[in-house]
Amino acid sequence: MHDTLYKRITVTPAIPASTVALLAVIVANAALAFGPWFVRVSDTGPVASAFWRITLAAPMLVAAASRGDGDP
């Protein structure tokens, strides 16, 4: 009787997850490629630049690690 009241609607994403993952890999690869260039144009030395890159990235890495479910 209540089958007629509700219709099941399936929503498919506009962009497949594999396409989003591929785009994320391409953007990450481009960002890594610009790393040495940013070290060269910075006013600090390479060690100080590496320290600040790790320090600024650490909160995002911690957030990503804490979202995991613990399975390897």
Side-chain angles (χ1 to χ4, degrees):
M1 178 175 203
H2 32 80
D3 289 334
T4 59
L5 293 176
Y6 301 105
K7 291 183 180 180
R8 180 172 290 204
I9 298 173
T10 304
V11 178
T12 57
I15 301 174
S18 60
T19 304
V20 173
L22 180 63
L23 289 175
V25 167
I26 290 170
V27 169
N29 193 10
L32 286 172
F34 282 110
W37 185 75
F38 287 135
V39 170
R40 182 166 295 273
V41 298
S42 69
D43 290 335
T44 63
V47 175
S49 178
F51 168 78
W52 283 110
R53 285 188 293 163
I54 294 298
T55 302
L56 294 174
M60 290 191 299
L61 292 172
V62 170
S66 66
R67 289 189 65 201
D69 58 355
D71 290 336

mmCIF file of all heavy atoms in Angstrom, residues 8-33:
data_model
loop_
_atom_site.group_PDB
_atom_site.id
_atom_site.type_symbol
_atom_site.label_atom_id
_atom_site.label_comp_id
_atom_site.label_asym_id
_atom_site.label_seq_id
_atom_site.Cartn_x
_atom_site.Cartn_y
_atom_site.Cartn_z
ATOM 1 N N ARG A 8 11.364 5.531 -5.519
ATOM 2 C CA ARG A 8 12.802 5.539 -5.288
ATOM 3 C C ARG A 8 13.463 6.240 -6.471
ATOM 4 O O ARG A 8 13.307 5.861 -7.619
ATOM 5 C CB ARG A 8 13.347 4.131 -5.159
ATOM 6 C CG ARG A 8 14.843 4.110 -4.915
ATOM 7 C CD ARG A 8 15.296 2.754 -4.616
ATOM 8 N NE ARG A 8 14.776 2.417 -3.293
ATOM 9 C CZ ARG A 8 15.303 1.515 -2.498
ATOM 10 N NH1 ARG A 8 16.326 0.820 -2.910
ATOM 11 N NH2 ARG A 8 14.792 1.253 -1.322
ATOM 12 N N ILE A 9 14.239 7.262 -6.161
ATOM 13 C CA ILE A 9 14.933 8.018 -7.189
ATOM 14 C C ILE A 9 16.430 7.772 -7.015
ATOM 15 O O ILE A 9 16.990 7.964 -5.935
ATOM 16 C CB ILE A 9 14.627 9.527 -7.066
ATOM 17 C CG1 ILE A 9 13.135 9.770 -7.264
ATOM 18 C CG2 ILE A 9 15.437 10.307 -8.071
ATOM 19 C CD1 ILE A 9 12.726 11.197 -6.991
ATOM 20 N N THR A 10 17.072 7.357 -8.088
ATOM 21 C CA THR A 10 18.503 7.126 -8.070
ATOM 22 C C THR A 10 19.186 8.305 -8.743
ATOM 23 O O THR A 10 18.882 8.652 -9.874
ATOM 24 C CB THR A 10 18.854 5.828 -8.819
ATOM 25 O OG1 THR A 10 18.115 4.758 -8.223
ATOM 26 C CG2 THR A 10 20.337 5.550 -8.742
ATOM 27 N N VAL A 11 20.111 8.905 -8.003
ATOM 28 C CA VAL A 11 20.841 10.046 -8.534
ATOM 29 C C VAL A 11 22.254 9.590 -8.857
ATOM 30 O O VAL A 11 22.963 9.073 -7.999
ATOM 31 C CB VAL A 11 20.874 11.202 -7.511
ATOM 32 C CG1 VAL A 11 21.666 12.369 -8.049
ATOM 33 C CG2 VAL A 11 19.468 11.620 -7.145
ATOM 34 N N THR A 12 22.668 9.779 -10.093
ATOM 35 C CA THR A 12 24.023 9.448 -10.490
ATOM 36 C C THR A 12 24.848 10.726 -10.525
ATOM 37 O O THR A 12 24.359 11.782 -10.929
ATOM 38 C CB THR A 12 24.046 8.775 -11.872
ATOM 39 O OG1 THR A 12 23.433 9.655 -12.816
ATOM 40 C CG2 THR A 12 23.304 7.458 -11.850
ATOM 41 N N PRO A 13 26.089 10.663 -10.076
ATOM 42 C CA PRO A 13 26.912 11.870 -10.089
ATOM 43 C C PRO A 13 27.199 12.327 -11.515
ATOM 44 O O PRO A 13 27.273 11.517 -12.444
ATOM 45 C CB PRO A 13 28.184 11.458 -9.372
ATOM 46 C CG PRO A 13 28.201 9.980 -9.417
ATOM 47 C CD PRO A 13 26.775 9.524 -9.526
ATOM 48 N N ALA A 14 27.365 13.627 -11.673
ATOM 49 C CA ALA A 14 27.626 14.183 -12.999
ATOM 50 C C ALA A 14 29.017 13.784 -13.490
ATOM 51 O O ALA A 14 29.215 13.552 -14.678
ATOM 52 C CB ALA A 14 27.489 15.691 -12.972
ATOM 53 N N ILE A 15 29.991 13.709 -12.580
ATOM 54 C CA ILE A 15 31.356 13.331 -12.943
ATOM 55 C C ILE A 15 31.693 12.042 -12.199
ATOM 56 O O ILE A 15 31.557 11.984 -10.981
ATOM 57 C CB ILE A 15 32.349 14.434 -12.552
ATOM 58 C CG1 ILE A 15 32.000 15.747 -13.252
ATOM 59 C CG2 ILE A 15 33.770 14.024 -12.899
ATOM 60 C CD1 ILE A 15 32.837 16.909 -12.802
ATOM 61 N N PRO A 16 32.131 11.008 -12.913
ATOM 62 C CA PRO A 16 32.494 9.753 -12.233
ATOM 63 C C PRO A 16 33.653 9.951 -11.262
ATOM 64 O O PRO A 16 34.504 10.829 -11.438
ATOM 65 C CB PRO A 16 32.897 8.827 -13.370
ATOM 66 C CG PRO A 16 32.445 9.466 -14.626
ATOM 67 C CD PRO A 16 32.276 10.918 -14.350
ATOM 68 N N ALA A 17 33.694 9.132 -10.242
ATOM 69 C CA ALA A 17 34.737 9.235 -9.214
ATOM 70 C C ALA A 17 36.121 8.984 -9.801
ATOM 71 O O ALA A 17 37.100 9.588 -9.362
ATOM 72 C CB ALA A 17 34.456 8.256 -8.086
ATOM 73 N N SER A 18 36.220 8.120 -10.796
ATOM 74 C CA SER A 18 37.526 7.851 -11.394
ATOM 75 C C SER A 18 38.060 9.076 -12.124
ATOM 76 O O SER A 18 39.273 9.326 -12.125
ATOM 77 C CB SER A 18 37.437 6.666 -12.352
ATOM 78 O OG SER A 18 36.512 6.946 -13.391
ATOM 79 N N THR A 19 37.183 9.870 -12.711
ATOM 80 C CA THR A 19 37.612 11.097 -13.375
ATOM 81 C C THR A 19 38.094 12.124 -12.358
ATOM 82 O O THR A 19 39.111 12.791 -12.563
ATOM 83 C CB THR A 19 36.458 11.679 -14.207
ATOM 84 O OG1 THR A 19 36.001 10.694 -15.128
ATOM 85 C CG2 THR A 19 36.894 12.914 -14.961
ATOM 86 N N VAL A 20 37.394 12.226 -11.244
ATOM 87 C CA VAL A 20 37.805 13.158 -10.188
ATOM 88 C C VAL A 20 39.153 12.733 -9.619
ATOM 89 O O VAL A 20 40.029 13.569 -9.378
ATOM 90 C CB VAL A 20 36.729 13.231 -9.085
ATOM 91 C CG1 VAL A 20 37.206 14.053 -7.911
ATOM 92 C CG2 VAL A 20 35.438 13.788 -9.640
ATOM 93 N N ALA A 21 39.359 11.436 -9.436
ATOM 94 C CA ALA A 21 40.626 10.939 -8.910
ATOM 95 C C ALA A 21 41.770 11.213 -9.887
ATOM 96 O O ALA A 21 42.860 11.616 -9.475
ATOM 97 C CB ALA A 21 40.530 9.447 -8.623
ATOM 98 N N LEU A 22 41.528 11.026 -11.165
ATOM 99 C CA LEU A 22 42.555 11.297 -12.162
ATOM 100 C C LEU A 22 42.912 12.780 -12.185
ATOM 101 O O LEU A 22 44.086 13.148 -12.261
ATOM 102 C CB LEU A 22 42.098 10.834 -13.548
ATOM 103 C CG LEU A 22 43.086 11.074 -14.684
ATOM 104 C CD1 LEU A 22 44.367 10.283 -14.446
ATOM 105 C CD2 LEU A 22 42.455 10.717 -16.010
ATOM 106 N N LEU A 23 41.916 13.648 -12.109
ATOM 107 C CA LEU A 23 42.185 15.083 -12.069
ATOM 108 C C LEU A 23 42.960 15.469 -10.821
ATOM 109 O O LEU A 23 43.854 16.320 -10.873
ATOM 110 C CB LEU A 23 40.873 15.868 -12.150
ATOM 111 C CG LEU A 23 40.169 15.852 -13.499
ATOM 112 C CD1 LEU A 23 38.827 16.548 -13.406
ATOM 113 C CD2 LEU A 23 41.034 16.495 -14.558
ATOM 114 N N ALA A 24 42.652 14.842 -9.690
ATOM 115 C CA ALA A 24 43.381 15.120 -8.455
ATOM 116 C C ALA A 24 44.843 14.698 -8.581
ATOM 117 O O ALA A 24 45.742 15.406 -8.104
ATOM 118 C CB ALA A 24 42.721 14.403 -7.280
ATOM 119 N N VAL A 25 45.116 13.576 -9.222
ATOM 120 C CA VAL A 25 46.494 13.120 -9.416
ATOM 121 C C VAL A 25 47.245 14.077 -10.337
ATOM 122 O O VAL A 25 48.411 14.414 -10.090
ATOM 123 C CB VAL A 25 46.519 11.671 -9.974
ATOM 124 C CG1 VAL A 25 47.890 11.288 -10.488
ATOM 125 C CG2 VAL A 25 46.051 10.706 -8.920
ATOM 126 N N ILE A 26 46.592 14.567 -11.375
ATOM 127 C CA ILE A 26 47.243 15.493 -12.299
ATOM 128 C C ILE A 26 47.568 16.813 -11.607
ATOM 129 O O ILE A 26 48.669 17.358 -11.747
ATOM 130 C CB ILE A 26 46.361 15.714 -13.544
ATOM 131 C CG1 ILE A 26 46.331 14.442 -14.388
ATOM 132 C CG2 ILE A 26 46.852 16.893 -14.381
ATOM 133 C CD1 ILE A 26 45.329 14.451 -15.510
ATOM 134 N N VAL A 27 46.625 17.329 -10.823
ATOM 135 C CA VAL A 27 46.869 18.584 -10.094
ATOM 136 C C VAL A 27 47.980 18.402 -9.066
ATOM 137 O O VAL A 27 48.853 19.275 -8.920
ATOM 138 C CB VAL A 27 45.562 19.088 -9.445
ATOM 139 C CG1 VAL A 27 45.822 20.218 -8.476
ATOM 140 C CG2 VAL A 27 44.573 19.519 -10.512
ATOM 141 N N ALA A 28 47.981 17.285 -8.352
ATOM 142 C CA ALA A 28 49.029 17.028 -7.353
ATOM 143 C C ALA A 28 50.392 16.901 -8.024
ATOM 144 O O ALA A 28 51.391 17.406 -7.497
ATOM 145 C CB ALA A 28 48.698 15.765 -6.569
ATOM 146 N N ASN A 29 50.447 16.261 -9.167
ATOM 147 C CA ASN A 29 51.706 16.123 -9.886
ATOM 148 C C ASN A 29 52.219 17.484 -10.346
ATOM 149 O O ASN A 29 53.418 17.768 -10.254
ATOM 150 C CB ASN A 29 51.528 15.190 -11.076
ATOM 151 C CG ASN A 29 52.848 14.757 -11.666
ATOM 152 O OD1 ASN A 29 53.888 14.983 -11.102
ATOM 153 N ND2 ASN A 29 52.783 14.131 -12.823
ATOM 154 N N ALA A 30 51.330 18.337 -10.821
ATOM 155 C CA ALA A 30 51.734 19.686 -11.234
ATOM 156 C C ALA A 30 52.224 20.491 -10.036
ATOM 157 O O ALA A 30 53.215 21.235 -10.131
ATOM 158 C CB ALA A 30 50.572 20.395 -11.912
ATOM 159 N N ALA A 31 51.556 20.349 -8.893
ATOM 160 C CA ALA A 31 51.986 21.070 -7.687
ATOM 161 C C ALA A 31 53.361 20.600 -7.233
ATOM 162 O O ALA A 31 54.195 21.408 -6.819
ATOM 163 C CB ALA A 31 50.960 20.884 -6.575
ATOM 164 N N LEU A 32 53.622 19.304 -7.305
ATOM 165 C CA LEU A 32 54.942 18.792 -6.935
ATOM 166 C C LEU A 32 56.015 19.252 -7.913
ATOM 167 O O LEU A 32 57.164 19.489 -7.521
ATOM 168 C CB LEU A 32 54.919 17.259 -6.881
ATOM 169 C CG LEU A 32 54.209 16.658 -5.677
ATOM 170 C CD1 LEU A 32 54.099 15.147 -5.850
ATOM 171 C CD2 LEU A 32 54.955 16.990 -4.416
ATOM 172 N N ALA A 33 55.656 19.401 -9.173
ATOM 173 C CA ALA A 33 56.626 19.842 -10.169
ATOM 174 C C ALA A 33 57.052 21.284 -9.937
ATOM 175 O O ALA A 33 58.187 21.661 -10.258
ATOM 176 C CB ALA A 33 56.040 19.686 -11.569
#
